[in-house]
Amino acid sequence: MQIKELDQTYVASTYARFPLTIVKGKGSVAVDENGEEYIDMGSGIAVNLFGYSDDTWLKAVTEQLGTVQHTSNLYYTGPCAKLAEQLCMKTGMKKVFYSNSGAEANECAIKAARKYAAETKGSDYYTIITLKNSFHGRTLTTLSATGQEHFHELFQPLTPGFVHADADDCEGLEKLVKENKTAGIMIECVQGEGGVRALSQEFVSCISRLQKEYDLVVIDDEVQAGNGRTGKLYAYMNYDLIPDVVTTAKGIGGGLPIGVTMLGEKVKDIFHPGDNGSTFGGNPAVCAGALSNIGRLDDELMSEVVKKSNYLFDKLESAENVKQVSGMGLMIGIEPVKGKAADIVKKCLENHVMVLSAGGNKVRLLPALNIPMELLEKAAEVIADAFRQIGEES
Ligand SMILES: *Cc1c(COP(=O)(O)O)cnc(C)c1O
Protein backbone atom coordinates (compact mmCIF):
# COMPACT_ATOMS: atom_id res chain seq x y z
CA MET A 1 0.00 0.00 0.00
CA GLN A 2 1.01 3.61 -0.54
CA ILE A 3 1.77 5.74 2.53
CA LYS A 4 -1.56 7.59 2.32
CA GLU A 5 -3.54 4.35 2.16
CA LEU A 6 -1.55 2.74 4.97
CA ASP A 7 -2.09 5.78 7.15
CA GLN A 8 -5.81 5.98 6.40
CA THR A 9 -6.17 2.27 7.15
CA TYR A 10 -4.11 1.99 10.30
CA VAL A 11 -3.74 5.42 11.94
CA ALA A 12 -6.65 6.68 14.08
CA SER A 13 -8.50 9.31 12.09
CA THR A 14 -8.06 12.21 14.52
CA TYR A 15 -6.51 14.45 11.85
CA ALA A 16 -7.92 15.78 8.58
CA ARG A 17 -4.64 15.49 6.71
CA PHE A 18 -3.84 17.35 3.49
CA PRO A 19 -2.91 15.21 0.48
CA LEU A 20 0.80 15.76 0.99
CA THR A 21 3.44 13.29 2.16
CA ILE A 22 6.65 14.93 3.34
CA VAL A 23 9.74 12.80 2.80
CA LYS A 24 12.46 15.28 3.63
CA GLY A 25 13.21 18.92 4.25
CA LYS A 26 15.94 21.48 4.77
CA GLY A 27 15.40 24.85 6.40
CA SER A 28 12.01 26.24 5.35
CA VAL A 29 11.63 23.95 2.33
CA ALA A 30 9.77 20.62 2.52
CA VAL A 31 9.96 17.98 -0.23
CA ASP A 32 7.19 15.52 -1.12
CA GLU A 33 7.46 11.97 -2.52
CA ASN A 34 7.59 13.30 -6.08
CA GLY A 35 10.46 15.65 -5.32
CA GLU A 36 8.17 18.69 -5.39
CA GLU A 37 9.24 21.55 -3.07
CA TYR A 38 7.05 23.53 -0.70
CA ILE A 39 7.76 26.65 1.37
CA ASP A 40 6.72 25.79 4.92
CA MET A 41 5.03 28.75 6.61
CA GLY A 42 3.73 26.63 9.49
CA SER A 43 6.97 24.94 10.63
CA GLY A 44 5.07 21.93 11.99
CA ILE A 45 2.90 24.30 14.09
CA ALA A 46 5.72 26.48 15.44
CA VAL A 47 7.90 23.47 16.25
CA ASN A 48 10.72 23.53 13.70
CA LEU A 49 12.13 26.74 15.16
CA PHE A 50 15.01 26.78 12.65
CA GLY A 51 13.30 24.73 9.95
CA TYR A 52 13.84 21.13 8.87
CA SER A 53 17.05 19.30 9.85
CA ASP A 54 18.81 22.48 10.95
CA ASP A 55 22.57 21.75 11.09
CA THR A 56 23.32 23.34 14.46
CA TRP A 57 20.37 21.70 16.22
CA LEU A 58 21.06 18.35 14.51
CA LYS A 59 24.69 18.38 15.69
CA ALA A 60 23.69 19.14 19.29
CA VAL A 61 21.11 16.34 19.32
CA THR A 62 23.16 13.66 17.54
CA GLU A 63 26.27 14.29 19.64
CA GLN A 64 24.20 13.74 22.76
CA LEU A 65 22.47 10.68 21.24
CA GLY A 66 25.91 9.16 20.77
CA THR A 67 26.82 9.54 24.45
CA VAL A 68 23.73 9.19 26.67
CA GLN A 69 20.38 9.09 24.88
CA HIS A 70 18.36 8.56 28.05
CA THR A 71 18.62 7.68 31.67
CA SER A 72 16.01 7.79 34.39
CA ASN A 73 15.25 10.90 36.42
CA LEU A 74 16.84 9.14 39.37
CA TYR A 75 20.20 10.39 38.06
CA TYR A 76 21.67 13.74 37.02
CA THR A 77 22.44 14.64 33.39
CA GLY A 78 24.13 17.74 31.97
CA PRO A 79 21.85 19.06 29.21
CA CYS A 80 18.74 19.09 31.41
CA ALA A 81 20.52 21.04 34.19
CA LYS A 82 22.20 23.47 31.78
CA LEU A 83 18.97 24.18 29.89
CA ALA A 84 17.17 24.89 33.17
CA GLU A 85 19.96 27.28 34.17
CA GLN A 86 19.76 29.15 30.85
CA LEU A 87 15.97 29.43 31.01
CA CYS A 88 16.06 30.76 34.57
CA MET A 89 18.90 33.21 33.80
CA LYS A 90 17.06 34.57 30.77
CA THR A 91 13.57 34.80 32.28
CA GLY A 92 14.05 35.37 36.01
CA MET A 93 12.02 32.23 36.70
CA LYS A 94 13.53 30.06 39.46
CA LYS A 95 12.97 26.36 38.71
CA VAL A 96 12.02 24.17 35.77
CA PHE A 97 9.97 20.98 35.46
CA TYR A 98 10.33 18.96 32.27
CA SER A 99 7.73 16.88 30.48
CA ASN A 100 7.05 15.93 26.85
CA SER A 101 4.34 18.20 25.47
CA GLY A 102 2.50 21.46 25.88
CA ALA A 103 -0.48 19.78 27.48
CA GLU A 104 1.73 18.16 30.12
CA ALA A 105 3.56 21.42 30.77
CA ASN A 106 0.16 23.00 31.44
CA GLU A 107 -0.96 20.08 33.63
CA CYS A 108 2.09 20.73 35.80
CA ALA A 109 1.33 24.47 35.92
CA ILE A 110 -2.24 23.74 37.05
CA LYS A 111 -0.94 21.38 39.73
CA ALA A 112 1.45 24.10 40.95
CA ALA A 113 -1.33 26.72 41.13
CA ARG A 114 -3.69 24.39 42.98
CA LYS A 115 -1.05 23.25 45.45
CA TYR A 116 -0.02 26.86 46.16
CA ALA A 117 -3.63 27.95 46.71
CA ALA A 118 -4.40 24.90 48.86
CA GLU A 119 -1.41 25.64 51.08
CA THR A 120 -1.97 29.40 51.38
CA LYS A 121 -5.78 29.78 51.21
CA GLY A 122 -7.36 26.35 51.65
CA SER A 123 -8.08 23.31 49.51
CA ASP A 124 -11.40 24.76 48.25
CA TYR A 125 -9.45 27.49 46.41
CA TYR A 126 -8.93 25.45 43.26
CA THR A 127 -10.67 27.42 40.51
CA ILE A 128 -8.53 28.54 37.61
CA ILE A 129 -9.86 31.22 35.30
CA THR A 130 -8.91 30.87 31.65
CA LEU A 131 -9.98 32.91 28.63
CA LYS A 132 -12.57 32.26 25.97
CA ASN A 133 -11.02 31.14 22.66
CA SER A 134 -7.96 29.87 24.50
CA PHE A 135 -6.24 26.58 23.75
CA HIS A 136 -4.32 24.72 26.43
CA GLY A 137 -4.12 21.12 25.21
CA ARG A 138 -5.92 17.80 24.69
CA THR A 139 -5.64 15.96 27.99
CA LEU A 140 -8.90 16.01 29.93
CA THR A 141 -7.70 18.69 32.35
CA THR A 142 -6.16 20.96 29.73
CA LEU A 143 -9.29 20.49 27.59
CA SER A 144 -11.28 21.66 30.61
CA ALA A 145 -8.97 24.69 30.77
CA THR A 146 -9.47 25.38 27.06
CA GLY A 147 -12.15 28.06 26.64
CA GLN A 148 -13.82 26.65 23.53
CA GLU A 149 -17.08 24.77 24.08
CA HIS A 150 -16.83 22.63 20.95
CA PHE A 151 -13.80 20.82 22.40
CA HIS A 152 -15.79 19.87 25.52
CA GLU A 153 -18.96 18.32 24.16
CA LEU A 154 -17.86 14.72 23.61
CA PHE A 155 -15.78 14.24 26.71
CA GLN A 156 -17.94 14.90 29.75
CA PRO A 157 -17.41 14.92 32.66
CA LEU A 158 -14.45 17.26 32.47
CA THR A 159 -12.09 18.19 35.30
CA PRO A 160 -13.96 20.59 37.58
CA GLY A 161 -12.60 23.99 38.60
CA PHE A 162 -12.28 25.93 35.36
CA VAL A 163 -14.26 29.02 34.40
CA HIS A 164 -13.76 31.10 31.28
CA ALA A 165 -13.53 34.88 31.08
CA ASP A 166 -13.77 37.16 28.05
CA ALA A 167 -10.38 38.34 26.86
CA ASP A 168 -9.82 42.09 27.28
CA ASP A 169 -12.69 42.49 29.81
CA CYS A 170 -11.04 43.46 33.09
CA GLU A 171 -14.30 44.00 35.00
CA GLY A 172 -15.65 40.60 33.96
CA LEU A 173 -12.41 38.93 34.99
CA GLU A 174 -12.37 40.56 38.42
CA LYS A 175 -16.00 39.57 38.93
CA LEU A 176 -15.07 35.91 38.29
CA VAL A 177 -12.10 36.18 40.67
CA LYS A 178 -14.48 37.37 43.41
CA GLU A 179 -17.30 34.91 42.64
CA ASN A 180 -15.04 31.85 42.72
CA LYS A 181 -12.50 30.55 45.17
CA THR A 182 -9.75 31.34 42.72
CA ALA A 183 -6.30 29.77 42.64
CA GLY A 184 -5.08 31.43 39.49
CA ILE A 185 -5.52 32.86 36.02
CA MET A 186 -4.18 31.10 32.94
CA ILE A 187 -3.62 33.01 29.71
CA GLU A 188 -1.86 32.96 26.38
CA CYS A 189 -0.45 36.48 25.89
CA VAL A 190 -0.94 35.83 22.19
CA GLN A 191 -3.74 33.32 21.61
CA GLY A 192 -2.77 30.87 18.87
CA GLU A 193 -5.24 28.14 17.92
CA GLY A 194 -8.20 30.30 19.01
CA GLY A 195 -7.55 33.02 16.41
CA VAL A 196 -4.04 34.51 16.67
CA ARG A 197 -4.98 37.42 18.92
CA ALA A 198 -2.61 39.37 21.13
CA LEU A 199 -4.09 40.43 24.47
CA SER A 200 -4.23 44.19 24.99
CA GLN A 201 -1.64 45.90 27.23
CA GLU A 202 -4.49 47.17 29.46
CA PHE A 203 -5.92 43.70 30.00
CA VAL A 204 -2.55 42.20 30.85
CA SER A 205 -1.92 45.06 33.30
CA CYS A 206 -5.31 44.23 34.82
CA ILE A 207 -4.18 40.60 35.28
CA SER A 208 -0.98 41.87 36.86
CA ARG A 209 -3.01 43.95 39.35
CA LEU A 210 -5.35 41.05 40.23
CA GLN A 211 -2.31 38.79 40.66
CA LYS A 212 -1.06 41.04 43.47
CA GLU A 213 -4.42 41.99 45.01
CA TYR A 214 -5.72 38.43 45.32
CA ASP A 215 -2.39 36.55 45.50
CA LEU A 216 -3.28 34.60 42.35
CA VAL A 217 -0.95 32.29 40.46
CA VAL A 218 -0.72 33.67 36.94
CA ILE A 219 0.10 30.95 34.42
CA ASP A 220 1.30 32.13 31.03
CA ASP A 221 0.94 29.42 28.38
CA GLU A 222 3.72 30.10 25.88
CA VAL A 223 3.61 26.71 24.21
CA GLN A 224 3.08 28.44 20.87
CA ALA A 225 4.02 32.11 21.42
CA GLY A 226 7.25 31.46 23.29
CA ASN A 227 10.86 30.90 22.21
CA GLY A 228 11.42 34.01 20.15
CA ARG A 229 8.27 33.83 18.07
CA THR A 230 6.91 37.24 19.06
CA GLY A 231 10.27 39.00 18.73
CA LYS A 232 11.05 38.55 22.43
CA LEU A 233 12.32 35.38 24.09
CA TYR A 234 8.89 34.94 25.72
CA ALA A 235 5.71 36.75 24.74
CA TYR A 236 5.03 38.13 28.25
CA MET A 237 8.19 40.22 27.81
CA ASN A 238 6.15 42.40 25.46
CA TYR A 239 3.87 43.24 28.39
CA ASP A 240 3.88 44.64 31.90
CA LEU A 241 3.57 41.21 33.53
CA ILE A 242 5.73 38.82 35.53
CA PRO A 243 3.93 35.46 35.41
CA ASP A 244 4.27 33.04 38.32
CA VAL A 245 4.44 30.11 35.93
CA VAL A 246 5.48 30.08 32.27
CA THR A 247 4.86 26.97 30.20
CA THR A 248 6.38 26.19 26.84
CA ALA A 249 6.85 23.31 24.40
CA LYS A 250 6.64 23.26 20.56
CA GLY A 251 9.53 25.43 19.30
CA ILE A 252 11.95 25.01 22.18
CA GLY A 253 12.59 21.39 21.16
CA GLY A 254 13.03 22.31 17.50
CA GLY A 255 11.26 19.10 16.44
CA LEU A 256 11.64 16.73 19.38
CA PRO A 257 9.04 16.41 22.12
CA ILE A 258 9.54 18.52 25.24
CA GLY A 259 7.36 20.35 27.71
CA VAL A 260 8.77 22.95 30.08
CA THR A 261 7.07 24.43 33.15
CA MET A 262 9.02 27.35 34.58
CA LEU A 263 8.20 28.18 38.19
CA GLY A 264 8.65 31.73 39.44
CA GLU A 265 9.48 33.00 42.94
CA LYS A 266 5.96 32.39 44.32
CA VAL A 267 5.80 28.70 43.47
CA LYS A 268 9.46 27.76 43.06
CA ASP A 269 9.43 25.39 46.05
CA ILE A 270 5.89 24.08 45.63
CA PHE A 271 6.91 20.60 44.46
CA HIS A 272 8.61 17.94 46.55
CA PRO A 273 9.84 14.49 45.50
CA GLY A 274 6.84 12.47 44.33
CA ASP A 275 4.59 15.46 43.52
CA ASN A 276 5.15 15.18 39.77
CA GLY A 277 7.26 13.21 37.35
CA SER A 278 7.78 12.04 33.78
CA THR A 279 9.82 9.13 32.43
CA PHE A 280 11.08 11.04 29.40
CA GLY A 281 11.00 14.52 30.98
CA GLY A 282 14.38 16.24 30.64
CA ASN A 283 15.65 13.73 28.09
CA PRO A 284 19.32 14.59 27.45
CA ALA A 285 19.16 14.55 23.64
CA VAL A 286 16.02 16.71 23.52
CA CYS A 287 17.47 19.10 26.09
CA ALA A 288 20.79 19.35 24.22
CA GLY A 289 18.85 20.46 21.13
CA ALA A 290 16.74 22.88 23.18
CA LEU A 291 19.83 24.34 24.86
CA SER A 292 21.34 25.00 21.45
CA ASN A 293 18.07 26.59 20.25
CA ILE A 294 17.72 28.89 23.26
CA GLY A 295 21.34 30.03 22.86
CA ARG A 296 20.57 31.27 19.35
CA LEU A 297 17.60 33.46 20.30
CA ASP A 298 19.74 36.57 20.71
CA ASP A 299 18.99 40.25 20.06
CA GLU A 300 20.15 39.99 16.47
CA LEU A 301 17.75 37.14 15.66
CA MET A 302 14.93 38.89 17.51
CA SER A 303 15.39 42.03 15.41
CA GLU A 304 15.30 39.80 12.30
CA VAL A 305 11.99 38.35 13.53
CA VAL A 306 10.59 41.86 13.99
CA LYS A 307 11.80 42.91 10.55
CA LYS A 308 10.20 39.87 8.88
CA SER A 309 7.04 40.41 10.89
CA ASN A 310 6.78 44.04 9.75
CA TYR A 311 7.27 42.92 6.17
CA LEU A 312 4.45 40.35 6.40
CA PHE A 313 2.06 42.75 8.16
CA ASP A 314 2.67 45.47 5.52
CA LYS A 315 2.42 43.09 2.59
CA LEU A 316 -0.71 41.29 3.80
CA GLU A 317 -2.58 44.30 5.21
CA SER A 318 -2.44 45.86 1.75
CA ALA A 319 -3.45 42.64 -0.08
CA GLU A 320 -6.86 42.21 -1.72
CA ASN A 321 -9.64 40.47 0.22
CA VAL A 322 -7.81 40.86 3.55
CA LYS A 323 -10.00 42.17 6.35
CA GLN A 324 -7.47 42.13 9.17
CA VAL A 325 -3.98 40.94 10.06
CA SER A 326 -3.48 40.06 13.74
CA GLY A 327 -0.86 38.55 16.01
CA MET A 328 2.69 39.46 16.89
CA GLY A 329 6.14 38.74 15.48
CA LEU A 330 6.11 35.62 13.30
CA MET A 331 2.77 34.49 14.72
CA ILE A 332 0.29 35.98 12.31
CA GLY A 333 -3.43 35.57 11.62
CA ILE A 334 -5.06 36.83 8.42
CA GLU A 335 -8.81 37.12 8.11
CA PRO A 336 -10.41 37.28 4.66
CA VAL A 337 -13.25 39.67 3.81
CA LYS A 338 -14.90 36.96 1.69
CA GLY A 339 -14.40 33.19 1.56
CA LYS A 340 -13.25 30.51 3.93
CA ALA A 341 -9.77 30.39 5.46
CA ALA A 342 -9.78 26.61 4.78
CA ASP A 343 -10.13 27.26 1.02
CA ILE A 344 -7.26 29.75 1.12
CA VAL A 345 -5.09 27.20 2.94
CA LYS A 346 -5.90 24.65 0.21
CA LYS A 347 -5.17 27.13 -2.55
CA CYS A 348 -1.78 28.01 -0.99
CA LEU A 349 -0.87 24.32 -0.81
CA GLU A 350 -1.76 23.85 -4.49
CA ASN A 351 0.76 26.62 -5.11
CA HIS A 352 3.37 24.94 -2.91
CA VAL A 353 3.10 27.10 0.20
CA MET A 354 2.13 25.40 3.47
CA VAL A 355 0.03 27.58 5.80
CA LEU A 356 -2.29 26.83 8.74
CA SER A 357 -5.72 27.94 9.80
CA ALA A 358 -6.96 29.19 13.19
CA GLY A 359 -10.26 29.98 14.90
CA GLY A 360 -12.23 32.99 13.69
CA ASN A 361 -11.82 32.05 10.00
CA LYS A 362 -8.13 32.93 9.95
CA VAL A 363 -5.15 31.79 7.95
CA ARG A 364 -2.27 31.34 10.40
CA LEU A 365 1.43 31.79 9.66
CA LEU A 366 4.16 30.43 11.95
CA PRO A 367 7.29 30.25 9.79
CA ALA A 368 10.72 29.18 11.05
CA LEU A 369 12.42 32.16 12.72
CA ASN A 370 15.37 31.95 10.30
CA ILE A 371 13.33 31.72 7.09
CA PRO A 372 15.34 33.54 4.40
CA MET A 373 13.77 36.83 3.25
CA GLU A 374 13.68 35.57 -0.32
CA LEU A 375 11.46 32.58 0.61
CA LEU A 376 9.30 34.77 2.82
CA GLU A 377 8.67 37.15 -0.09
CA LYS A 378 7.81 34.27 -2.42
CA ALA A 379 5.41 32.78 0.11
CA ALA A 380 3.77 36.15 0.85
CA GLU A 381 3.12 36.60 -2.88
CA VAL A 382 1.40 33.20 -3.10
CA ILE A 383 -0.65 33.88 0.04
CA ALA A 384 -1.78 37.31 -1.19
CA ASP A 385 -2.75 35.74 -4.52
CA ALA A 386 -4.75 33.00 -2.78
CA PHE A 387 -6.69 35.62 -0.77
CA ARG A 388 -7.50 37.50 -4.00
CA GLN A 389 -8.55 34.36 -5.91
CA ILE A 390 -10.74 32.92 -3.15
CA GLY A 391 -12.31 36.37 -2.72
CA GLU A 392 -13.22 36.48 -6.40
CA GLU A 393 -14.68 32.96 -6.29
CA SER A 394 -16.81 33.65 -3.17
C1 LIG B 1 -0.16 23.39 20.96
C2 LIG B 1 -0.56 24.07 22.22
C3 LIG B 1 -0.77 23.35 23.40
C4 LIG B 1 -0.71 21.85 23.45
O1 LIG B 1 0.56 21.38 23.18
P1 LIG B 1 0.79 19.80 22.85
O2 LIG B 1 2.28 19.69 22.72
O3 LIG B 1 0.05 19.51 21.59
O4 LIG B 1 0.25 19.05 24.00
C5 LIG B 1 -1.05 24.06 24.55
N1 LIG B 1 -1.14 25.40 24.55
C6 LIG B 1 -0.95 26.13 23.45
C7 LIG B 1 -1.03 27.61 23.51
C8 LIG B 1 -0.66 25.49 22.23
O5 LIG B 1 -0.50 26.21 21.12
PDB file of all heavy atoms in Angstrom, residues 104 246 291 304 323 339:
ATOM      1  N   GLU A 104       1.135  18.591  28.850  1.00  0.00           N
ATOM      2  CA  GLU A 104       1.729  18.157  30.120  1.00  0.00           C
ATOM      3  C   GLU A 104       2.364  19.318  30.872  1.00  0.00           C
ATOM      4  O   GLU A 104       2.327  19.354  32.108  1.00  0.00           O
ATOM      5  CB  GLU A 104       2.821  17.128  29.857  1.00  0.00           C
ATOM      6  CG  GLU A 104       2.344  15.726  29.670  1.00  0.00           C
ATOM      7  CD  GLU A 104       3.540  14.843  29.375  1.00  0.00           C
ATOM      8  OE1 GLU A 104       4.023  14.882  28.233  1.00  0.00           O
ATOM      9  OE2 GLU A 104       4.000  14.152  30.293  1.00  0.00           O
ATOM     10  N   VAL A 246       5.458  29.965  33.734  1.00  0.00           N
ATOM     11  CA  VAL A 246       5.483  30.081  32.270  1.00  0.00           C
ATOM     12  C   VAL A 246       5.625  28.666  31.720  1.00  0.00           C
ATOM     13  O   VAL A 246       6.521  27.922  32.138  1.00  0.00           O
ATOM     14  CB  VAL A 246       6.668  30.947  31.779  1.00  0.00           C
ATOM     15  CG1 VAL A 246       6.713  30.989  30.249  1.00  0.00           C
ATOM     16  CG2 VAL A 246       6.573  32.360  32.340  1.00  0.00           C
ATOM     17  N   LEU A 291      18.790  23.439  24.341  1.00  0.00           N
ATOM     18  CA  LEU A 291      19.827  24.337  24.860  1.00  0.00           C
ATOM     19  C   LEU A 291      20.497  25.090  23.707  1.00  0.00           C
ATOM     20  O   LEU A 291      20.724  26.298  23.780  1.00  0.00           O
ATOM     21  CB  LEU A 291      20.867  23.506  25.633  1.00  0.00           C
ATOM     22  CG  LEU A 291      22.008  24.237  26.314  1.00  0.00           C
ATOM     23  CD1 LEU A 291      21.484  25.206  27.362  1.00  0.00           C
ATOM     24  CD2 LEU A 291      22.969  23.236  26.970  1.00  0.00           C
ATOM     25  N   GLU A 304      15.656  40.414  13.590  1.00  0.00           N
ATOM     26  CA  GLU A 304      15.302  39.803  12.300  1.00  0.00           C
ATOM     27  C   GLU A 304      13.828  39.379  12.288  1.00  0.00           C
ATOM     28  O   GLU A 304      13.116  39.566  11.298  1.00  0.00           O
ATOM     29  CB  GLU A 304      16.145  38.530  12.071  1.00  0.00           C
ATOM     30  CG  GLU A 304      17.515  38.777  11.514  1.00  0.00           C
ATOM     31  CD  GLU A 304      17.447  39.254  10.068  1.00  0.00           C
ATOM     32  OE1 GLU A 304      16.881  38.524   9.231  1.00  0.00           O
ATOM     33  OE2 GLU A 304      17.944  40.355   9.814  1.00  0.00           O
ATOM     34  N   LYS A 323      -9.249  41.316   5.452  1.00  0.00           N
ATOM     35  CA  LYS A 323     -10.004  42.170   6.352  1.00  0.00           C
ATOM     36  C   LYS A 323      -9.103  42.682   7.472  1.00  0.00           C
ATOM     37  O   LYS A 323      -9.126  43.857   7.820  1.00  0.00           O
ATOM     38  CB  LYS A 323     -11.153  41.351   6.959  1.00  0.00           C
ATOM     39  CG  LYS A 323     -12.143  42.136   7.769  1.00  0.00           C
ATOM     40  CD  LYS A 323     -13.357  41.260   8.043  1.00  0.00           C
ATOM     41  CE  LYS A 323     -14.222  41.815   9.157  1.00  0.00           C
ATOM     42  NZ  LYS A 323     -15.253  40.833   9.531  1.00  0.00           N
ATOM     43  N   GLY A 339     -14.953  34.531   1.746  1.00  0.00           N
ATOM     44  CA  GLY A 339     -14.398  33.188   1.557  1.00  0.00           C
ATOM     45  C   GLY A 339     -13.920  32.565   2.851  1.00  0.00           C
ATOM     46  O   GLY A 339     -13.839  33.231   3.883  1.00  0.00           O
TER      47      GLY A 339
END
